[in-house]
Amino acid sequence: MTIRVLIADDQEMVRRGLRRILESQPDIQVVCEAADGVAAVEMARRFQPDVALVDIRMPRMDGLEVTRVLAGPGAPSPTKVVVVTTFDLDEYVYPALRHGASGFLVKRSGPALLVEAVRAAVAGDTLISPSVTVRLLRHVTGGGPRHTPPPEPLTEREIEIAGQVAEGKTNADIAAELFISPGTVKTHVASIQRKLGVRNRVGIAVRAWELGYARGN
């Protein structure tokens, strides 16, 4: 299956570089580009890409609003959005996750991580830049009071898996570390999402840090 990608960034050089990286892969095709947020939404609706790679800072409509429109609860045909940011602690990334982003990367993360993030989004998984996982989530939790625990408590195994999701690990990584099957991990992740009331793995990561489940917390 060919993964169809939209690239939205206001810098032509950046778009060109991302296209070159993605189209070096046999299973990825860049179907459209956009130089601003309004165009990104229009292109997404027209071309129906599998993944939208969205810069957080763009003219006319920023990446936060683009994410809400394309991936939020009100989206008629949700698109997987991977948010890209220049700064590890960009204050717009956390709200983007709340609006349904499937992952986020720091632009300097490198080609391999970019390709993995696109594939992970299509697979329903999430890849988060490791530096952002630790620094951003520690920043947003702030070391202050923990959030109220979920109404339905997580099991010990679910807490363990939620913590590993918060570290940016995939189902395969978690399965290998815990000596269980990826299918079992997937079942646990679905249960964790339901109990925490979140839309995806990034939501699990945020809540896991808020609740103190992450091992580096």
Side-chain angles (χ1 to χ4, degrees), residues 69-88:
V69 173
L70 295 183
S77 300
T79 301
K80 301 286 187 181
V81 174
V82 175
V83 175
V84 181
T85 179
T86 301
F87 307 105
D88 286 10

Side-chain angles (χ1 to χ4, degrees), residues 141-184:
T141 55
R146 297 299 183 191
H147 285 232
T148 305
E152 185 179 353
L154 273 61
T155 65
E156 288 187 12
R157 176 63 93 185
E158 287 171 346
I159 289 174
E160 185 176 22
I161 290 175
Q164 295 198 20
V165 170
E167 295 168 16
K169 294 183 178 179
T170 65
N171 285 357
D173 295 333
I174 297 170
E177 183 164 334
L178 300 182
F179 301 102
I180 56 180
S181 72
T184 299

Side-chain angles (χ1 to χ4, degrees), residues 30-216:
V30 176
V31 295
C32 52
E33 297 181 14
D36 62 68
V38 172
V41 172
E42 293 172 351
M43 290 289 186
R45 288 172 173 166
R46 177 180 175 186
F47 290 94
Q48 297 291 304
D50 300 304
V51 179
L53 200 62
V54 177
D55 185 16
I56 202 70
R57 292 176 176 174
M58 293 186 291
R60 295 214 289 169
M61 183 186 294
D62 66 20
L64 173 59
E65 183 65 9
V66 171
T67 300
R68 186 191 67 77
V69 173
L70 295 183
S77 300
T79 301
K80 301 286 187 181
V81 174
V82 175
V83 175
V84 181
T85 179
T86 301
F87 307 105
D88 286 10
L89 297 178
D90 193 312
E91 67 272 21
Y92 293 111
V93 175
Y94 184 65
L97 303 183
R98 291 295 195 192
H99 281 313
S102 295
F104 60 89
L105 294 175
V106 173
K107 286 184 178 178
R108 62 176 179 275
S109 297
L113 212 58
L114 175 68
V115 171
E116 288 181 36
V118 169
R119 289 176 177 153
V122 170
D125 224 333
T126 300
L127 193 150
I128 303 172
S129 293
S131 62
V132 177
T133 301
V134 175
R135 294 177 62 186
L136 176 65
L137 294 179
R138 279 181 176 166
H139 173 71
V140 297
T141 55
R146 297 299 183 191
H147 285 232
T148 305
E152 185 179 353
L154 273 61
T155 65
E156 288 187 12
R157 176 63 93 185
E158 287 171 346
I159 289 174
E160 185 176 22
I161 290 175
Q164 295 198 20
V165 170
E167 295 168 16
K169 294 183 178 179
T170 65
N171 285 357
D173 295 333
I174 297 170
E177 183 164 334
L178 300 182
F179 301 102
I180 56 180
S181 72
T184 299
V185 176
K186 185 176 181 180
T187 299
H188 281 305
V189 168
S191 175
I192 294 166
Q193 284 183 206
R194 179 181 58 80
K195 290 181 178 181
L196 295 181
V198 297
R199 290 175 54 86
N200 51 42
R201 293 172 67 91
V202 177
I204 291 177
V206 172
R207 288 289 283 138
W209 277 84
E210 291 174 344
L211 295 165
Y213 295 159
R215 288 181 291 191

